[in-house]
Amino acid sequence: MAFSESQYDELMNSYYKHQTENHALEQQHKEEIYRNIPRIAEIDHLVALTSIDAVRSRLKSGTDTTTLAKEHNQSLLAEKADLLKIHGYPEDYLKPIYTCPLCKDSGRIGTEYCSCFKQAAISLLYRQSTLDRILQTENFEYFDLSYYPTEPDGTHPLTPYENMKNILNKSKAFIEAFDKSGGNLLFYGETGLGKTFLSNCIAKALLDTQHTVLYQSAIHLFEDVCSDVIMKKGQNPGSQETYRYLYCCDLLIIDDLGTEFTNTFVSSELYDILNTRMREKKSTLISTNLNLQELTERYSTRITTRIFAEYQVCNFYGSNIRLAKRRKAIKK
């Protein structure tokens, strides 16, 4: 599980917040009990003194009174528990409070990350991917092959259903081999055929295994993020962080490539992003409504040759799923 310094700091700050809030609550409990049951304040003081006296005795005279001290303190602690019970307080009311009892709000158990840290990491990655809400419904659990026709369309060798089943299998194989071989994907085809939906399915599967994923529409990527950082010298701090993340996240998803206004600046930025990520062995998924010929005509040869050589190319075809889903929803 690899995080940037800012990501790790954000996670650890949440743990520091838990520790601070829980400590404050512990103090409130103690003050309440000392106020309502003064004898417990006396007991805590006596327990502390007994422990200190045992240490002093061992240091000064070499006499070990640890066993006697423990027995004495156990008697005092038993009285304390009885007093809490008599006054209607839970037995653990004065014990340390932890948001996660497993790691005691440290984030680790020994040398391993605690399950709570892993879940916090997933939540952070979801937020930073910009897909946190979308992925609740756009994931493999909801991917429905029945929307793809099983009859030949007269143009392609495979039916839309067979073709989509192959693409779905390739996507799952991509995820399974991600840590070992990485790779890149190009989804192309007309609008409404499931390219973005399947991209989100892949994103969720990787986010759920603590991989870093960043989703960007082509328009937002080039006209907002890259433009702000390069042309406006990073006036928006959020753009600077996103721009840096473009190069280091495990998977970058560029959705709707071709919808942006393409010029020399955009072509240069696109080439730099794709080339750098390939060199660093970082994976990229591109979806576009353009066909391969249109991609070649719109972007430079040095961009398209890299894409066609380094990406698994998947052609989406069939009926418009978005329209089919709307019709189905209307009928209901």
Side-chain angles (χ1 to χ4, degrees):
M1 189 187 305
F3 299 102
S4 68
E5 184 175 342
S6 62
Q7 288 173 324
Y8 185 77
D9 287 345
E10 183 171 344
L11 286 168
M12 294 315 298
N13 283 339
S14 69
Y15 278 89
Y16 176 74
K17 182 180 179 182
H18 290 322
Q19 292 167 5
T20 302
E21 291 175 347
N22 290 337
H23 180 68
L25 185 56
E26 289 171 17
Q27 288 299 114
Q28 289 177 17
H29 285 188
K30 182 183 289 187
E31 290 170 6
E32 177 188 352
I33 293 299
Y34 283 5
R35 184 172 60 252
N36 295 336
I37 317 174
R39 173 56 182 165
I40 288 183
E42 295 175 5
I43 289 173
D44 284 346
H45 181 66
L46 290 172
V47 167
L49 284 180
T50 302
S51 299
I52 292 171
D53 288 342
V55 173
R56 284 175 178 170
S57 177
R58 187 169 65 250
L59 292 175
K60 286 184 177 181
S61 61
T63 304
D64 189 355
T65 60
T66 303
T67 301
L68 290 174
K70 284 183 177 179
E71 291 177 354
H72 182 256
N73 282 347
Q74 284 175 355
S75 176
L76 289 171
L77 292 174
E79 181 187 352
K80 178 179 177 179
D82 288 340
L83 286 170
L84 286 172
K85 186 177 181 180
I86 290 170
H87 287 80
Y89 287 98
E91 185 179 344
D92 62 353
Y93 197 69
L94 291 177
K95 290 183 179 179
I97 299 170
Y98 301 112
T99 302
C100 176
L102 295 175
C103 67
K104 297 181 178 178
D105 295 343
S106 68
R108 288 180 178 269
I109 299 176
T111 59
E112 300 294 325
Y113 284 116
C114 180
S115 58
C116 71
F117 185 93
K118 294 178 181 178
Q119 187 57 53
I122 290 172
S123 298
L124 171 64
L125 296 176
Y126 266 58
R127 292 196 306 276
Q128 294 189 339
S129 73
T130 71
L131 294 170
D132 49 336
R133 293 183 181 178
I134 296 172
L135 299 187
Q136 294 176 18
T137 55
E138 296 195 7
N139 53 67
F140 284 117
E141 182 181 352
Y142 292 95
F143 194 92
D144 190 352
L145 281 170
S146 67
Y147 283 103
Y148 296 87
T150 56
E151 300 81 17
D153 62 2
T155 304
H156 303 91
L158 296 177
T159 67
Y161 176 89
E162 292 170 334
N163 177 63
M164 196 60 239
K165 188 174 182 180
N166 283 344
I167 295 175
L168 186 61
N169 289 335
K170 285 181 181 179
S171 299
K172 291 181 177 179
F174 172 80
I175 294 164
E176 290 175 4
F178 191 82
D179 288 327
K180 184 177 180 181
S181 54
N184 307 286
L185 294 169
L186 172 66
F187 292 168
Y188 79 96
E190 294 181 2
T191 186
L193 296 175
K195 299 184 298 297
T196 299
F197 195 107
L198 186 55
S199 299
N200 291 340
C201 292
I202 293 171
K204 184 179 189 305
L206 291 175
L207 285 166
D208 285 348
T209 50
Q210 293 95 52
H211 291 89
T212 54
V213 178
L214 178 64
Y215 168 92
Q216 293 284 290
S217 69
I219 291 177
H220 178 70
L221 171 61
F222 297 113
E223 297 183 11
D224 294 327
V225 177
C226 293
S227 176
D228 180 73
V229 173
I230 305 301
M231 308 294 285
K232 301 177 184 177
K233 306 302 180 183
Q235 294 180 11
N236 182 353
S239 294
Q240 291 180 314
E241 179 66 14
T242 301
Y243 189 79
R244 185 196 62 77
Y245 205 41
L246 291 172
Y247 294 91
C248 66
C249 63
D250 295 328
L251 176 67
L252 171 64
I253 298 175
I254 303 177
D255 194 26
D256 277 339
L257 185 69
T259 55
E260 78 288 350
F261 178 75
T262 306
N263 52 29
T264 304
F265 169 75
V266 169
S267 294
S268 176
E269 284 298 299
L270 177 60
Y271 174 79
D272 185 58
I273 292 168
L274 299 184
N275 191 54
T276 301
R277 290 186 63 80
M278 277 188 256
R279 188 175 64 245
E280 298 295 327
K281 300 188 184 305
K282 297 290 186 180
S283 296
T284 306
L285 191 164
I286 297 173
S287 73
T288 179
N289 296 336
L290 304 176
N291 60 39
L292 300 185
Q293 181 61 38
E294 289 170 330
L295 280 172
T296 303
E297 292 171 355
R298 187 172 184 122
Y299 301 99
S300 66
T301 302
R302 65 176 186 168
I303 290 176
T304 54
T305 53
R306 276 170 169 73
I307 292 175
F308 297 155
E310 300 292 337
Y311 285 57
Q312 288 190 70
V313 179
C314 302
N315 182 15
F316 286 60
Y317 54 84
S319 303
N320 191 308
I321 296 172
R322 290 177 192 164
L323 292 178
K325 287 183 176 179
R326 286 173 190 166
R327 293 192 192 103
K328 187 176 181 180
I330 291 171
K331 289 180 180 179
K332 288 183 178 180

